[in-house]
Amino acid sequence: MGCTLSSTGDAVDPAVSEDRRGSALALEAKGTDPGSHGEREEAFPLSAAQKDSVRESWSVLHKNIARVGIILFIGLFETHPECKDMFFLFRDVDDLQQLKMSKELQAHGLRVMSFIEKSVARLDQEDKLEVLAFELGKNHFHYKAPPKYYEYIGIQFIQAVRPILKEDWTLEVERAWEGLFRYLAAVMRRGFHNEGKRLGASPLLPPQTADLESAPDQN
C-alpha cells in the first residue's frame, strides 16, 4: 500500500528506510512535503476518554463483526439504494433478504470491519491513523467511489451496533464514534481529491467494479 520511494541505488539500513517511508507517507497525508506549505485540514477530534469509550465498545463489537458488516450494508442499501450501483456483484440484486445470505456481501462487510479495527488500534498513533484513511481515500478515487458515500458508512455502523451494545451504548459512546467516523471521512475525502489532483483526472466516470471498503494494510 502507499507510495513507493524512489531508490537512489545507495545501500540503506532497512530500519532507516522504513522510518523514512513512514515519514513521507505521513507528510503526504497531511498535505505537506519538505518543499510545500500545506497544512492538515482537520484535527483529530477524540479526547483520551472518548478513545477509551471507542476501544471498550469495540472489544464487545469485535465478537460480532460478521453480523455487524451484514447489517451495515443492508442498512446502507435500504437507505441509499444508489450505493448498490458501486458494487458489480450486488447492483442487480433487488431482494435484500437474498443479499443477507451472500458470502460476497459478508466478505465486503468484513473488510469494512477490518478497516475499523485497524483504525481503533491506531487511536494513539494519529499519524498512522491519518495515513491509513488517506490511502483508503486515494484508493477510492480509482474505485470511482465519490466522497459523498463515506459518511454513510459511519451512520450505518452506529445504527447496526446500537442494539448490540444495548445499555452500554450511551450518548458519550455515540459521540465518540461519530467523531471518529467524521475524522476518517474527512481524511479519506482529502486523499480522494489529492489523488485526482495528482493524476489530473476526474473520477466522474461510469462506475466499475468497486470495493468500497478495502482497507490498506498499515502496520
Side-chain angles (χ1 to χ4, degrees):
M1 183 200 86
C3 61
T4 303
L5 301 183
S6 300
S7 172
T8 61
D10 297 330
V12 179
D13 184 334
V16 174
S17 177
E18 182 62 25
D19 286 346
R20 288 176 178 171
R21 178 179 179 275
S23 297
L25 281 171
L27 287 169
E28 181 185 9
K30 288 179 171 60
T32 307
D33 61 53
S36 77
H37 301 286
E39 295 182 354
R40 182 173 178 169
E41 295 178 3
E42 58 285 310
F44 186 71
L46 270 62
S47 66
Q50 287 177 316
K51 291 178 184 178
D52 288 341
S53 291
V54 167
R55 280 189 286 253
E56 289 171 10
S57 55
W58 179 253
S59 68
V60 177
L61 296 172
H62 181 265
K63 302 171 186 176
N64 297 276
I65 55 174
R67 175 185 170 194
V68 172
I70 291 288
I71 295 173
L72 186 157
F73 270 96
I74 295 299
L76 179 66
F77 295 155
E78 284 178 336
T79 56
H80 299 282
E82 72 277 10
C83 291
K84 225 161 25 90
D85 292 338
M86 302 303 300
F87 297 87
F88 176 77
L89 292 173
F90 310 143
R91 66 178 61 164
D92 295 324
V93 180
D94 295 323
D95 186 348
L96 294 182
Q97 293 301 316
Q98 178 184 343
L99 272 181
K100 286 183 180 180
M101 308 302 295
S102 167
K103 292 183 179 179
E104 291 81 7
L105 184 61
Q106 181 175 348
H108 281 297
L110 286 173
R111 280 192 283 273
V112 169
M113 295 300 106
S114 175
F115 172 69
I116 295 172
E117 182 172 38
K118 291 174 185 178
S119 299
V120 172
R122 288 159 178 76
L123 289 178
D124 288 327
Q125 299 172 303
E126 294 173 19
D127 281 350
K128 289 186 177 181
L129 177 59
E130 186 174 9
V131 169
L132 181 77
F134 186 82
E135 289 294 307
L136 187 59
K138 288 171 62 177
N139 291 343
H140 278 56
F141 181 89
H142 297 284
Y143 303 147
K144 300 176 177 62
K148 68 179 182 178
Y149 295 119
Y150 306 164
E151 288 82 2
Y152 300 163
I153 294 296
I155 294 170
Q156 293 305 319
F157 174 85
I158 287 173
Q159 292 294 324
V161 302
R162 185 184 287 127
I164 294 175
L165 287 176
K166 300 178 181 178
E167 65 273 7
D168 291 329
W169 185 264
T170 65
L171 181 59
E172 289 73 20
V173 172
E174 181 160 334
R175 286 176 174 169
W177 278 105
E178 285 176 343
L180 177 59
F181 278 110
R182 276 196 304 270
Y183 172 78
L184 294 173
V187 177
M188 285 180 62
R189 189 183 308 115
R190 179 154 46 84
F192 178 95
H193 291 300
N194 180 279
E195 186 71 353
K197 183 178 180 181
R198 184 182 71 83
L199 296 174
S202 170
L204 302 179
L205 299 171
Q208 299 177 353
T209 301
D211 190 354
L212 288 177
E213 64 290 327
S214 292
D217 189 9
Q218 283 286 326
N219 296 316

